[in-house]
């Protein structure tokens, strides 16, 4: 995991608010030179800490089936199942969890036929999967990815628009 400093946190926070903002604009807002902004953003992307993408509501662009699937796994197989699920093109979110399900996966499918093929012909055949339960999304009321960057214990939160001290 990449160690984040206050400047990295400022850059991430700025890009979470507007991923299309130019390095020059971020530099002007934060007081950090544009070349440093460019270098740091590139480093954060290369480390896998930051990903800048366009997010669309799948239900608004022709995908009829958005579902959350709870997956129960055989003992010792949950991480392997996560790896396999992450490799499916239909999966958009895969997490190891506690509780009733060992894994939760969000999938986006064109229609019910596509979903049925995914579930019965691929997902349930993954080694280590013992049971699944599907929760179809009827309406999406919030799709947000700007939850902030947090601050390490004992530090002040960074303020977007202010240079790090």
């Amino acid at each position: 995991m990449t160690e984040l400093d206050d400047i990295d946190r400022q850059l991430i926070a700025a890009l979470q608010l507007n991923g299309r903002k130019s390095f020059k604009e971020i530099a002007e807002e934060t007081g950090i030179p544009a070349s440093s902004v460019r270098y740091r953003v590139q480093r954060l992307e290369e480390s896998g800490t930051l990903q800048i993408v366009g997010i669309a509501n799948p239900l608004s662009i022709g995908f009829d089936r958005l579902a959350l699937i709870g997956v129960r796994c055989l003992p010792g197989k949950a991480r392997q199942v996560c790896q396999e699920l992450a490799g499916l093109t239909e999966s958009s979110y895969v997490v190891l969890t506690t509780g009733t399900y060992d894994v939760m996966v969000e999938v986006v499918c064109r229609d019910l036929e596509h979903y049925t093929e995914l579930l019965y012909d691929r997902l349930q055949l993954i080694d280590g999967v013992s049971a699944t339960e599907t929760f179809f999304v009827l309406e999406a009321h919030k799709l947000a990815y700007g939850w902030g960057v947090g601050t390490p214990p004992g530090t002040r939160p960074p303020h977007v628009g202010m240079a790090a001290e």
Side-chain angles (χ1 to χ4, degrees), residues 35-100:
S35 60
S36 294
V37 172
R38 184 178 304 104
Y39 168 77
R40 283 173 172 265
V41 169
Q42 181 178 355
R43 180 179 51 83
L44 291 166
E45 285 180 304
E46 288 172 356
S47 71
T49 301
L50 177 66
Q51 184 181 33
I52 301 171
V53 297
I55 304 294
N57 179 342
L59 299 173
S60 298
I61 60 170
F63 290 95
D64 186 45
R65 289 287 179 245
L66 176 60
L68 299 171
I69 304 171
V71 181
R72 290 193 188 107
C73 301
L74 298 173
K77 296 285 191 171
R79 284 191 172 95
Q80 177 185 328
V81 168
C82 284
Q83 292 287 324
E84 293 291 326
L85 292 171
L88 297 173
T89 57
E90 294 88 352
S91 70
S92 56
Y93 183 76
V94 179
V95 292
L96 186 66
T97 60
T98 61
T100 303

